[in-house]
Amino acid sequence: MALKMVKGSIDRMFDKNLQDLVRGIRNHKEDEAKYISQCIDEIKQELKQDNIAVKANAVCKLTYLQMLGYDISWAAFNIIEVMSASKFTFKRIGYLAASQCFHEGTDVIMLTTNQIRKDLSSPSQYDTGVALTGLSCFVTPDLARDLANDIMTLMSHTKPYIRKKAVLIMYKVFLKYPESLRPAFPRLKEKLEDPDPGVQSAAVNVICELARRNPKNYLSLAPLFFKLMTSSTNNWVLIKIIKLFGALTPLEPRLGKKLIEPLTNLIHSTSAMSLLYECVNTVIAVLISLSSGMPNHSASIQLCVQKLRILIEDSDQNLKYLGLLAMSKILRTHPKSVQAHKDLVLQCLDDKDESIRLRALDLLYGMVSKKNLVEIVKKLMSHVDKAEGTTYRDELLTKIIDICSQCNYQHITNFQWYISVLVELTRLEGTRHGHLIAAQMLDVAIRVKAIRKFAVSQMSALLDSAHLVASSTQRNGICEVLYAAAWICGEFSEHLQEPHQTLEAMLRPKVTTLPGHIQAVYVQNVVKLYASILQQKEQAAEPEAAQDVTQLMVDRLPQFVQSADLEVQERASCILQLVKHIQKLQAKDVPVAEEVSALFAGELNPVAPKAQKKVPVPEGLDLDAWINEPPSDSESEDEKPKGIFHEEEQRHAKQRLPEADEEELARRREARKQEQANNPFYIKSSPSPQKRYQDMPGVEHIPVVQIDLSVPLKVPGMPMSDQYVKLEEERRHRQRLEKGRKKKKTKEKGKPRRHGSLHTESDEDITPAQQVDIVTEEMPENALPSDEDDKDPNDPYRALDIDLDRPLADSEKLPVQKHRNVDASKCADKEDVPGVEKKAKKPKKKEKKHREKEREKTEKGKEKEGEDLDFWLSTTPLPAAAPALKSSKHKKKKHKKEKEEKSKDKKKSKKKPPSDEAAEPVENGALDEEPLPPMSSYCLLAENSYIRMTYDIQGSLQKDSQVTVSVVLENQSRSFLKNMELNVLDSLNARLARPEGSSVRDGVPVPFQLPPGISNEAQFVFTIQSIVMAQKLKGTLSFIAKNDEGSTHEKLDFKLHFSCTSYLVTTPCYSDAFAKLLESGDLSMSSIKVDGISMSFQNLLAKICFHHHFSVVERVDSCASMYSRSIQGHHVCLLMKKGEKSVSVDGKCSDSTLLSNLLEELKATLAKC
Amino acid sequence: MKRPEEIQQQIVRETFHLVLKRDDNICNFLEGGSLIGGPEYKLIYRHYATLYFVFCVDSSESELGILDLIQVFVETLDKCFENVCELDLIFHMDKVHYILQEVVMGGMVLETNMNEIVAQIEAQNRLEKSEGGLSAAPARAVSAVKNINLPEIPRNINIGDLNIKVPNLSQFV
C-alpha cells in the first residue's frame, strides 16, 4: 500500500500540471491542435488511474482546454468523481469543471444530486460554498426541485458567507422550479433585513431580479424597500432598490409621489455618479408614470435634464453615453424639455464614438419638427457620406427614414424634397436596407397623390441609371429600390414624360441579372407601360409607332421567358402570348389600346396592415360551430359517406345558379357601388382631395417646373436634395410675405390660424408645399379594436408570475428528502432557528386545523396586505432622509400631509378613501368586518403654545443597541422658531448619540428652522444597553422664538418614553420556524388576560401588529399566533385568544423580564380597545 | 443557458474584435449584438494595458456600477497575485476563476466589498495549503526546475483573459 503511494507520487513527477500544459501549448504554436490532442490522450490515461490527485489534476487541465474551445463533455463522469473527493482542493476543481461544462443536456448530472446535498450540509463552509457556486451554474429543474429545501435551509445558516450564496442561488432555483418561489419567499423577504450587508445585498439582488419581470407581485414590498432606501448606505444596494422602484412606479402612481422627494434629495447629496444616474433614471420613470397630476413636476424634469446635460457635457465618454440614454427616456413624455438641448445632441453626432452617435441619433428622432426636419436630415446625409462602417451607415439610413416617416409623415412639408432624399440614399452601396427605401418610395407615391408625377419622373431616372442594376449581387441590397421604381413607373405611367425610353430601360438585357422578385415586377409593369404607350400612339393616330412598340416587346420578352425564376417565367410567357395576339390584331388595323388598358383599370388603394385581422365576424356566424356535425360513435359506418356526398352535390348546384343570371349580376354591381358611395372608408377615384388642391392659392409656387431634374439625376453621386432646401426656404419666405399681405384682407381663406399675429415662424405657420392630405389606409367597416397585448408565450420568466401574498398551502411545501441523510437534516434543523434544539415533528392536530382554515386565512391575509400598502402610501409621513437638505417647499408639503394625518387621528373617523371603501367588501368577502380605523405610531411627546412634538421610536435589526427616535416638530405659534436644540439627561442605560466632540451636557441641534405653521421631522439616535426594561428619559427642547416684537428664548420639557415595544422590530416569521421555536423549550412563558373588549379580533390584531411591531404568523378563528424580534435578537412569540368579551395573551420570550414588561404594555393597549 | 463550445469561442472572438478596435477615449459600453442575446444586453469593459475585462450584462445592472465592479475584480486579482500581470492570469486560470466566483456567482453579483472577497479567497487558499495542495512536494520541485526556461512573449493574452468572462456571458441568459 505504502509502496503504491510512493510509486504514485513518483509517477506524478512526470505528469503535466496546468502550468505545464499552458506552457506546452504556448511552445507549440505551429502544431497546437496536434499537441493538444496528445495532451488529451495523456489526460485520458490519467483519468483511468485510481489516485484522486491525478484525476483532479487531469480535470483541472481539461477545464483549461474547455476554455480554449475543446469539448470535454466525455469526461463528465470523471468530473463528478473529482467533485465527490473529500479534500476541498479537489472538490473545488471538480465543481469548477462542472460549472464550465455541465448543462441541462448532461445526462450524468442527475448522479450529482446526493453528492451536492452532502456538500451543502458539510460542516466546512467552503465545501458548502463551492457546491453552491457550482450549482448556480448548472442547476437543472430536477436539481432545483430536489435541492430547493436544502438551499432554503442554508438561507438561515449561521455563516453570512453561506447565507449570501444561498440567497443568491435561490433565484436560479426559482427560474428552474417556479413552485419553490412561494414557500421560499417569506424567508427571502426576511433576508432583506439581514444583519450582514452582503446577505442583504444578495436578497435585494434576487428580489429586484424577480420584481423586474413581474413587478405587480412585489408592490407590497414597497414600504420595506422604501425603508431600506432611506436607511442603507451601500450604494450597490441603493442602486438596485432605486432601479426596482423604477419598475414599480408605473403600477402605483402614489408610490412615485412618495419617491420623488427622497430621490431628489439623493440627487442633490450623492457624490457617486452611478447612484446619481440611477436616481435620475427612476425620477424619470416616476414622472412618466405621473405625467400629470403633480403640480411641481416640471421642476423635477428640469432638475433631471439639467443633471443629464452635465453628464453629457462631461469629458468622460461613459457619462456622456448614459446621459444621452436617459435623455431619450425623458424625450418620450417631455419632448419640450429635451428639445432645448438640440445643440448638444447635434454636437454628439460628431463624436468619434459610435455608441454615442447612435444614442444621439435616437434622440434626434424625437426632436424633429416641421421647422428643423430639413436641416437635421441634411446633417444626417452628410454623416452618411462620411460614415466608414456599414453598420453605422445603415443605422443612419434607417434613422433618416424613421425620422421622416414618423407619425404619418407629419413633419414633412415638401414631399419632393423627401423623394429626392430617398433617391439620394440609393447611392449607398452595400446597404442592407434597400427594401426600406423601396417601401418608403412606394408608400409615398401611393399615399401622396400630388407627388406622383414627380415621383414617376425620379423613378424613371432611377430605372435608367445603370449603377443600381450592377449592385444586384447582394440580398436586400440597394437594387431593391428598382422594385419600387418599376412598380411606380408602371402603375402611374400616365405621368411619364418619355414612356418609350423607360420601357426600353426596363427591357434591357441587364435586367435579367436582378433577383427574381424584382424581375417579376418588371415584367408586369412593362405591360402597364406598354398599355399606356399604345393608347397614346393610337390617340395620336400613329399606328406604325404602336406596332414598333409591340415589336420591341416581342423581341425583348423572351429573355424573361428563359428565366430560372418560376414567377418571372410564368408572367413572361403569359404576356408574350398576349403581345403576340395584339400584334396580329394590329396587323389587321384593329384598335386594341382600349382593351389592353382595361387589363389594368381601377386604382389600388393602400390597406392598413392590420385590416385583415380586424374584419369582424358577421353576426350569426359562429366560427367554432361545426359545419358538419362530427360523426358520432354510434353512427353506422355505411351511412356516413353517403350523407357527405349528398350534401356536396347540393352545394355545387347552388354555386352554379348566379352565373346564369346576368341581370342579377348587374343589379348586385349597382348595389355594391351604392354601398361604396356611402362608405366613408372607401376612397373613390373621382373627386380626389388632390383635385381641390389644384385650386388652392399658391400652387404656382411649387417648384416642380423650375428644376431640370433629368440632368442631375443621370449622374448618380451628386447631392441634389440641397436644392430643395434652398427652394424650400424661398418658398417659406414667399409664404410669409404672402401671409402678411393676406392677413389684412382675407380671413375666410385658408385655415384659421391661432398665432396669426406672431412674427416668429412657429411650426404651425409652415404650410406644406404639397397639400399633405395623405390617403389613409383602408380598414374594414366596424373594425374590431385591436388587442396589441400579445406577449411572448415562451418567456421563461412568465412562470415566475406568482401571487406571493396568498398564504402558503400545505401542498406547496417544498419536497424534503427524509431518508438516508440523517446527519444532514439534523444539521439543517439546527441552522434553521439558531439556538433551538431539534425535536421531532410538530403536532399533527395543528396541521389538520391549519388546513381546515386555509381558505379563510387566504382572504384575511390578502386583505391585510392590501391595507398595509394603502395605509403606507396614504398616511405615513415621510421619514426624513436628509432633513438638512430640505427646502421650505418640502416642508410645506409635508406639513400638509401631517395635518391630514392628524385630522384623521383626531376624528378617529372610520372613513376611508372612497375607492377603498367601495372595493373592499367585494374583494375580501368579509362583509361583517368593520374597517380598520387609521392608525399612527406617532404619539404626543410634549406641547406648549409654541410647539407641538410627536415622536416615534424605531429599532433596526442591523444595529443591536441603537434606536432612532423620529420627532415631528410642529410650530403652532405665529413666531419663527430657530436655533432649536434637543437635549436629554442620559441614563446609564440609554444615551443620546451626540456629534463627536460634544459633551454630555450639550444638546443636539435640530437641523432645520420652523416658520409659523410648519412642521418637520428630525431624527435622533439613542444607544441602549439593556432593552428588557422600559424607561423614561427627561429632556428639554430649547429654541428661540422670533416675531415682530422681538425674540425670546423658550424651552419645552418632555419625557421620552422608551417602551419595550419600541425595541421590537416587525419581523415576519415562517410558521415552521415558529413551531420549532415554541417547541425548543428555551423560552420563558407568561400570560395576561384583559376583559371588556368590544373591538373585533381582526382589528385587534391589526392594532397590536401596528403599535407593538408584531407580525401574525398564523390565525385560526379567534386565535392567532404572532411573532416579533427585538433589536438584540430576543424572540417574542404570542398566542392571542379572544373570548366573548375578553382577550387572553400567552407570551413566550427568550427573556422573562422583557416578556412581562411587554405584556404589561400590551395590556394597556388592549384595555383601551 | 449554456452554449456549445464553438459558440462560446465565437462570442469570445467577436467580443475581442469589437473591443480591440475601440479607442481608449470612447465609452466603455457596447450594445448587444444578436450573438449575446439581443439589445437588452450590453458589453461593459475596462482596458488595462494589454488586458481587457469584459462583462456582459442585462438591463437590471447599473452600467457605472459594473465598471466599478470590474475595478474591484482587478484590484482583487492584484491583491491575490501580488502585483498581477498577464502571465499570472494565463498560468493560473483556475485561480482567476475561483476569484471571479467570489465576485460573481451564476451570473449574479455576489460581493462588491474587496476586503471581504480577499478574506474569503485567502481562507480558501489556507485550507488548500493545509490539505497539501494539488501538487505534492516532489512534483513542485520538478515544476520549479521547469519554470527556469520561461517562454518568450505572451501569446493570446487578450483572448485568454476574455475567456474568463465566458461563464458570465452564458449565465446572464
Side-chain angles (χ1 to χ4, degrees), chain A residues 487 500 787 828 911 1118:
Chain A
W487 190 87
H500 195 85
D787 35 326
K911 225 178 112 192
S1118 54

Side-chain angles (χ1 to χ4, degrees), chain A residues 704-720:
Chain A
V704 190
V705 264
Q706 297 165 9
I707 318 157
D708 188 5
L709 280 165
S710 54
V711 181
L713 259 180
K714 279 191 180 155
V715 191
M718 199 181 132
M720 39 154 286

Side-chain angles (χ1 to χ4, degrees), chain A residues 566-826:
Chain A
L566 274 183
E567 181 77 20
V568 180
Q569 203 186 76
E570 191 180 3
R571 288 190 191 189
S573 356
C574 228
I575 285 160
L576 186 60
Q577 288 314 310
L578 181 75
V579 175
K580 279 181 178 162
H581 182 69
I582 292 169
Q583 201 171 27
K584 273 185 213 157
L585 291 176
Q586 275 180 333
K588 293 179 202 160
D589 265 349
V590 180
V592 284
E594 275 304 317
E595 277 173 63
V596 179
S597 310
L599 283 176
F600 306 105
E603 198 173 351
L604 292 175
N605 283 323
V607 175
K610 286 183 198 149
Q612 180 65 49
K613 261 199 274 174
K614 295 197 171 185
V615 176
V617 180
E619 229 174 287
L621 175 66
D622 182 2
L623 288 176
D624 294 329
W626 288 99
I627 296 174
N628 291 319
E629 276 302 314
S632 66
D633 293 338
S634 61
E635 224 172 2
S636 79
E637 295 260 323
D638 303 335
E639 259 176 79
K640 233 191 308 170
K642 221 183 206 171
I644 291 172
F645 180 68
H646 182 65
E647 225 167 39
E648 231 159 32
E649 215 174 35
Q650 269 186 340
R651 229 178 287 147
H652 271 293
K654 257 184 207 159
Q655 274 173 351
R656 232 171 281 138
L657 257 173
E659 282 174 38
D661 198 346
E662 277 293 315
E663 260 182 41
E664 168 74 11
L665 259 182
R667 201 178 55 77
R668 281 191 198 170
R669 214 175 287 136
E670 197 51 47
R672 208 181 309 130
K673 256 187 202 160
Q674 197 62 40
E675 198 184 307
Q676 281 169 357
N678 296 331
N679 181 355
F681 293 101
Y682 191 85
I683 289 138
K684 285 138 286 198
S685 46
S686 40
S688 93
Q690 271 59 42
K691 285 273 163 63
R692 254 179 285 135
Y693 135 76
Q694 299 285 341
D695 315 327
M696 291 278 287
V699 178
E700 312 87 274
H701 301 306
I702 296 177
V704 190
V705 264
Q706 297 165 9
I707 318 157
D708 188 5
L709 280 165
S710 54
V711 181
L713 259 180
K714 279 191 180 155
V715 191
M718 199 181 132
M720 39 154 286
S721 58
D722 287 358
Q723 294 174 304
Y724 290 93
V725 179
K726 221 183 275 168
L727 284 168
E728 177 71 11
E729 266 160 23
E730 277 171 28
R731 188 181 69 84
R732 283 185 197 173
H733 181 67
R734 266 200 305 273
Q735 232 171 37
R736 268 198 299 274
L737 288 179
E738 215 167 295
K739 219 169 59 195
R741 262 188 280 129
K742 271 188 205 163
K743 223 170 50 184
K744 290 164 199 162
K745 44 179 185 178
T746 49
K747 267 185 183 165
E748 72 276 19
K749 256 191 190 175
K751 296 179 215 158
R753 279 179 211 290
R754 266 172 291 165
H755 305 298
S757 57
L758 284 179
H759 274 281
T760 47
E761 190 181 36
S762 80
D763 229 28
E764 292 143 80
D765 288 339
I766 306 168
T767 44
Q770 280 83 19
Q771 203 58 26
V772 196
D773 197 310
I774 290 180
V775 179
T776 39
E777 294 166 320
E778 281 195 344
M779 280 292 234
E781 298 166 65
N782 42 29
L784 298 167
S786 65
D787 35 326
E788 314 270 353
D789 197 31
D790 33 13
K791 275 189 181 170
D792 180 13
N794 297 325
D795 183 4
Y797 304 102
R798 274 185 93 185
L800 285 179
D801 188 357
I802 293 167
D803 180 10
L804 295 164
D805 297 336
R806 194 159 42 90
L808 277 179
D810 276 356
S811 57
E812 284 185 285
K813 295 263 159 68
L814 289 175
V816 190
Q817 285 265 323
K818 292 218 170 82
H819 59 292
R820 266 175 283 169
N821 299 324
V822 190
D823 282 347
S825 64
K826 262 190 207 164

Side-chain angles (χ1 to χ4, degrees), chain A residues 262-407:
Chain A
L263 286 179
T264 327
N265 288 340
L266 268 178
I267 290 177
H268 281 302
S269 63
T270 185
S271 59
M273 271 303 179
S274 45
L275 186 57
L276 170 85
Y277 174 68
E278 295 306 337
C279 284
V280 169
N281 250 336
T282 298
V283 170
I284 294 170
V286 168
L287 292 173
I288 289 172
S289 75
L290 292 175
S291 65
S292 63
M294 264 283 276
N296 58 343
H297 76 288
S298 66
S300 306
I301 283 278
Q302 279 315 316
L303 175 69
C304 289
V305 174
Q306 181 195 329
K307 285 280 171 187
L308 289 179
R309 186 170 176 118
I310 295 173
L311 289 189
I312 297 174
E313 280 173 339
D314 200 285
S315 60
D316 185 345
Q317 297 282 325
N318 293 330
L319 298 182
K320 189 173 277 201
Y321 171 85
L322 294 174
L324 289 169
L325 197 64
M327 203 68 122
S328 66
K329 288 182 195 151
I330 302 187
L331 186 72
R332 262 170 249 152
T333 47
H334 301 84
K336 284 262 160 57
S337 351
V338 183
Q339 269 160 11
H341 301 280
K342 201 183 94 194
D343 57 317
L344 199 60
V345 176
L346 285 175
Q347 206 179 308
C348 289
L349 270 188
D350 295 323
D351 202 282
K352 50 197 171 305
D353 186 352
E354 189 175 304
S355 311
I356 286 179
R357 289 199 303 260
L358 286 175
R359 289 274 77 87
L361 269 183
D362 276 352
L363 274 174
L364 269 187
Y365 178 82
M367 288 188 156
V368 289
S369 63
K370 282 181 184 169
K371 210 162 65 174
N372 62 18
L373 175 74
V374 175
E375 174 203 348
I376 287 179
V377 170
K378 187 179 164 195
K379 178 132 188 168
L380 292 182
M381 295 292 279
S382 73
H383 276 93
V384 172
D385 289 336
K386 278 186 278 175
E388 60 276 6
T390 47
T391 359
Y392 179 60
R393 217 175 48 175
D394 281 358
E395 187 63 28
L396 272 171
L397 191 155
T398 43
K399 268 285 129 54
I400 291 176
I401 288 179
D402 276 357
I403 286 175
C404 292
S405 63
Q406 66 173 315
C407 303

